[in-house]
Amino acid sequence: MKPETRLVRSGLPEPPAKPAAGAPIHPGPVFASAFRTPGEIADSPYSYARFHHPTWHELERAIGALEGGETRIFPSGMAATAAVFAALLKPGDIVVVPSDSYHTTRALSREYFASLGVEVRMAPTANNAQLAVLEGARLVWLETPSNPSLDVCDIAAIAEVAHRQGTLVAVDNTTPTPLGQQPLALGADISAASDTKSLTGHSDLLLGHVSAKDPELIAKIDRWRTLSGSIVGPMEAWLALRSLTTLPLRLEKQSRNAEAIARFLAARSDVAHTIHPALPNHPAHELAKRQMQWFGPIVSFTLPSRRAAEKFLTASHLLMEATSFGGIVSSAERRARWGGDKVSEGFIRLSAGCEDIDDLLADLTQALDAARG
Ligand code: PLP
């Protein structure tokens, strides 16, 4: 089965098996903290819901099939990131993190793991610059495309060098989702993501996951989840499972809309710098085309000033002024308002939703015109 068919059938039994006669087509969430466990614990598939849970299991099966590895879900993208760091790093280890990664990943490594005695090295995503500081590292964390500047690095090339010297490779795969890019197939040891974004895509839940092929790595991630209690409630897991069934429809529409918006913005003289991997002037355009099936929803661009950016966002009728990305409703924000990223005051991160592209382009036109006044 193609990934799209698998996704539409998320939560259903593997063909040729079918749901029992009279069973709902899509089973609902299982609300349980404890399960009947007579006699030997190993004889029951479930015992206590911090260890394992049937609704998680269905979601992990669906995401794992996309990633090409075993999967564990977490209550947010940062919980997934923290699980990888906590399960794999010990004092004296070296971790390499992108200097342009999602800013909270940098903060986590600097403020928490560095103080536990882990050496944190940073280098940019563009031009595979992390290779220059890889020597002796236990783990290299990649984020490609990076958020919010959409730089791209070569997962396969970095994995090859890293593996020669015994360094593990983890990829934050949030922006493309595992339908748009499969890090494990490209040679990474771990694919992790915030599923708060396109993977679930309705701006109504936080979620994350970690996937790996190596059973030993997954066992460490699993153990961390059980010990730390970093777990997902059944309702969130079920909402995510339901959302996953429409990922192919949403990601395709978002990616096509983002690309059309990028081309539109690149042709406007009042937009200084439009960044999107589909644009031929993106420094890693060819690599991105090779490495990714879908580029995802984000387009970044710069207006001349903070005032112009604020006027644009206020004038837009269809862009929800909000942080995060990957929702079905298009959104945008002036990124510099948060601090933490090296971006100018007029830098806007836009997330294309699933609206009709003509409506989006008409709205962008009137909002850009208003921002000039
Ligand atoms: N990784 C990336 C690339 C992100 O953009 C984000 C959030 O914006 C995260 C991780 C963290 O995800 P969450 O907010 O679900 O914890």
Side-chain angles (χ1 to χ4, degrees):
M1 272 192 294
K2 296 254 170 70
E4 289 75 5
T5 311
R6 283 195 169 281
L7 280 169
V8 167
R9 296 182 55 85
S10 298
L12 298 184
E14 284 284 320
K18 296 182 164 74
I25 293 175
H26 298 285
V30 175
F31 292 108
S33 57
F35 302 82
R36 184 170 172 263
T37 316
E40 291 298 323
I41 288 176
D43 292 343
S44 300
Y46 299 104
S47 55
Y48 188 60
R50 180 161 41 78
F51 308 158
H52 37 216
H53 187 284
T55 311
W56 302 350
H57 179 76
E58 287 306 322
L59 180 59
E60 290 172 347
R61 192 165 67 89
I63 298 176
L66 263 190
E67 290 277 18
E70 275 274 311
T71 295
R72 295 294 181 270
I73 54 166
F74 285 88
S76 67
M78 285 316 302
T81 306
V84 175
F85 284 19
L88 300 183
L89 298 173
K90 55 182 190 331
D93 282 346
I94 299 166
V95 62
V96 177
V97 175
S99 54
D100 51 350
S101 73
Y102 175 56
H103 62 91
T104 312
T105 305
R106 281 178 274 139
L108 176 76
S109 50
R110 265 197 314 251
E111 290 173 27
Y112 190 74
F113 286 92
S115 67
L116 290 180
V118 173
E119 183 187 333
V120 180
R121 293 182 189 158
M122 295 203 187
T125 298
N127 302 317
N128 301 338
Q130 284 169 279
L131 282 175
V133 292
L134 214 56
E135 202 182 330
R138 161 87 172 136
L139 175 70
V140 57
W141 181 267
L142 312 177
E143 184 181 307
T144 179
S146 61
N147 169 24
S149 295
L150 300 179
D151 277 320
V152 172
C153 64
D154 190 330
I155 297 172
I158 294 177
E160 201 194 313
V161 176
H163 289 160
R164 258 190 263 135
Q165 58 160 50
T167 302
L168 290 167
V169 179
V171 178
D172 181 332
N173 201 33
T174 299
T175 306
T177 81
L179 186 61
Q181 174 172 275
Q182 297 84 43
L184 301 183
L186 292 163
D189 302 285
I190 289 173
S191 178
S194 165
D195 301 327
T196 310
K197 319 297 177 188
S198 295
L199 192 117
T200 58
H202 290 70
S203 311
D204 54 8
L205 58 89
L206 282 125
L207 194 84
H209 78 266
V210 177
S211 300
K213 284 184 180 165
D214 180 351
E216 271 182 36
L217 282 179
I218 278 295
K220 286 184 176 161
I221 298 291
D222 193 88
R223 186 76 181 139
W224 167 258
R225 183 172 69 177
T226 300
L227 294 182
S228 65
S230 182
I231 58 157
V232 179
M235 191 65 190
E236 274 74 16
W238 178 77
L239 276 172
L241 193 59
R242 202 176 77 150
S243 303
L244 204 58
T245 60
T246 56
L247 176 62
L249 305 171
R250 290 183 285 103
L251 190 68
E252 176 174 351
K253 182 80 169 166
Q254 289 176 338
S255 299
R256 290 194 197 286
N257 279 353
E259 189 170 334
I261 289 170
R263 292 188 195 285
F264 162 84
L265 293 171
R268 293 267 314 197
S269 58
D270 49 353
V271 177
H273 184 41
T274 305
I275 315 171
H276 189 273
L279 296 180
N281 71 351
H282 187 286
H285 173 61
E286 290 304 326
L287 167 64
K289 275 202 301 188
R290 244 189 1 256
Q291 187 165 267
M292 304 173 73
Q293 288 81 50
W294 295 107
F295 293 140
I298 303 180
V299 184
S300 295
F301 60 101
T302 305
L303 293 180
S305 63
R306 170 179 176 162
R307 193 174 131 76
E310 284 173 347
K311 278 174 90 173
F312 164 79
L313 291 167
T314 305
S316 168
H317 305 307
L318 293 182
L319 294 177
M320 188 69 66
E321 190 173 349
T323 196
S324 201
F325 55 88
I328 47 170
V329 171
S330 292
S331 64
E333 71 170 334
R334 203 176 60 79
R335 201 56 199 162
R337 67 185 180 158
W338 290 97
D341 294 321
K342 284 194 201 114
V343 293
S344 63
E345 289 293 329
F347 183 101
I348 290 179
R349 185 185 67 190
L350 184 153
S351 173
C354 295
E355 301 88 346
D356 183 90
I357 189 61
D358 293 340
D359 289 336
L360 287 175
L361 294 184
D363 182 55
L364 289 173
T365 303
Q366 68 80 22
L368 285 170
D369 291 346
R372 286 161 89 142

